[in-house]
Amino acid sequence: MRIIIAAALVTLSVFSAAAQDRFFARTYNSTVLPKGVIDLEFWHTSRVGHKGQFFHAQDQRLELEFGLGRNWQTAFYFNSFQKRFSVGDEGTTTTHAIGFSNEWKVKLLDPSFNKIGLALYGEWGIKGGDELELESKIILDKIIGKHVVAFNGTLEYEKEFEWENGEVESDGYKMPVEFDLGYLYNIKPSFGLGFEIRNHNEIAKGEGWENSVLYAGPTINYRGNRWFVVANYLPQLANIHKTEEFSGKKELAEHERAEARILIGISF
């Protein structure tokens, strides 16, 4: 009985120290914000390294997240995407695009009181005015004392539009499939250390399953009563589905050698 009570107190202390719904930088948890709570979050992701090319991309998102009650929450994102890359021996080129997206999340099972936590997630967005993005996600997680484990399965739909000959045209689309696994050990109620694994599968119209890129690396979570900081570093480990076009041990034509992300959140 004492062990059960102690485990419950640890779990409650973890949640009281983090009103936010995030433990990881990439892997989502099933928890949602309480009704009336607002989170302001800033994301920064750096993606570096293409084979035979200088490449550095910076993705930034400003997120406003709202707890709606009845296990629902929504969020609005204002996004900025920048890339700087080399073009032969002619120096580097910079591109920039902005976007907007909106997410909805519903918790079906609580990870503290059920055998497993379960949530469904959906997001729609526009990027640069000519790209539509839709994303659906199933979220599974479990909290056992100081241990937090989460798994996400994600299906995306990406479609670009072009203006040609006085008409809007769009021939192709992409449907990436991604699997994310996160583990965190809460050394203290305010500090956790763990890792995340990301498997991204590129699937495109007319091309089929092009590659399956595996990333893995450490994650740190540091939080107070109304704020949190999460940092994650993911080097690419391997391309585990090789094709004629992407036959190398790593896929460094369309995917980066490493990614790093930091999230800073404040609750109101």
Side-chain angles (χ1 to χ4, degrees):
M1 179 61 71
R2 291 181 179 178
I3 295 176
I4 295 175
I5 294 174
L9 290 174
V10 169
T11 300
L12 289 173
S13 67
V14 168
F15 279 101
S16 65
Q20 303 85 5
D21 66 325
R22 299 301 299 263
F23 280 97
F24 301 100
R26 299 175 182 274
T27 313
Y28 283 73
N29 290 86
S30 64
T31 48
V32 297
L33 297 180
K35 183 178 181 180
V37 173
I38 300 174
D39 265 15
L40 175 64
E41 298 183 11
F42 174 75
W43 305 34
H44 177 89
T45 305
S46 285
R47 299 180 284 117
V48 296
H50 280 184
K51 185 176 181 180
Q53 177 192 43
F54 171 84
F55 182 90
H56 182 199
Q58 299 182 70
D59 306 331
Q60 295 163 343
R61 310 185 80 183
L62 182 64
E63 177 187 7
L64 276 172
E65 201 168 61
F66 301 88
L68 303 176
R70 297 183 180 272
N71 293 326
W72 280 88
Q73 75 176 35
T74 188
F76 300 92
Y77 296 84
F78 302 93
N79 308 314
S80 173
F81 307 95
Q82 302 175 66
K83 292 180 183 179
R84 188 171 183 84
F85 53 91
S86 59
V87 182
D89 297 326
E90 300 177 2
T92 60
T93 298
T94 301
T95 64
H96 180 244
I98 58 175
F100 170 83
S101 51
N102 170 227
E103 75 169 47
W104 291 84
K105 180 180 174 185
V106 58
K107 181 177 69 174
L108 303 177
L109 297 173
D110 192 285
S112 298
F113 306 109
N114 299 105
K115 291 183 178 180
I116 196 168
L118 171 64
L120 300 178
Y121 175 104
E123 181 179 329
W124 67 272
I126 53 175
K127 179 181 177 181
D130 59 359
E131 183 175 338
L132 172 67
E133 299 178 342
L134 303 174
E135 179 181 322
S136 61
K137 192 187 303 284
I138 184 169
I139 302 169
L140 302 172
D141 62 352
K142 184 62 182 176
I143 298 175
I144 305 174
K146 296 183 178 182
H147 305 272
V148 182
V149 182
F151 172 82
N152 298 170
T154 304
L155 174 64
E156 299 180 48
Y157 177 83
E158 302 172 357
K159 191 171 184 66
E160 293 188 18
F161 299 88
E162 296 181 354
W163 180 262
E164 292 186 3
N165 301 320
E167 296 181 354
V168 176
E169 297 184 0
S170 180
D171 295 329
Y173 61 82
K174 294 182 178 181
M175 294 188 68
V177 176
E178 183 167 310
F179 302 100
D180 298 277
L181 176 67
Y183 167 77
L184 192 76
Y185 177 74
N186 287 292
I187 300 171
K188 297 179 180 181
S190 61
F191 179 73
L193 181 63
F195 64 86
E196 292 184 70
I197 300 172
R198 175 179 177 240
N199 172 227
H200 185 85
N201 300 270
E202 201 70 36
I203 302 171
K205 179 183 178 182
E207 303 295 334
W209 187 15
E210 297 181 304
N211 50 63
S212 180
V213 182
L214 184 66
Y215 293 85
T219 293
I220 297 175
N221 182 304
Y222 187 57
R223 55 195 178 269
N225 189 42
R226 291 187 173 274
W227 58 270
F228 73 91
V229 178
V230 183
N232 168 256
Y233 176 71
L234 289 183
Q236 185 183 150
L237 301 183
N239 174 22
I240 57 180
H241 177 74
K242 298 177 178 61
T243 61
E244 184 175 344
E245 183 178 1
F246 301 100
S247 58
K249 294 181 180 179
K250 295 184 179 181
E251 202 294 281
L252 297 174
E254 297 185 1
H255 294 80
E256 288 69 54
R257 192 178 302 276
E259 300 183 3
R261 175 174 292 177
I262 185 168
L263 275 71
I264 301 173
I266 303 173
S267 291
F268 299 95

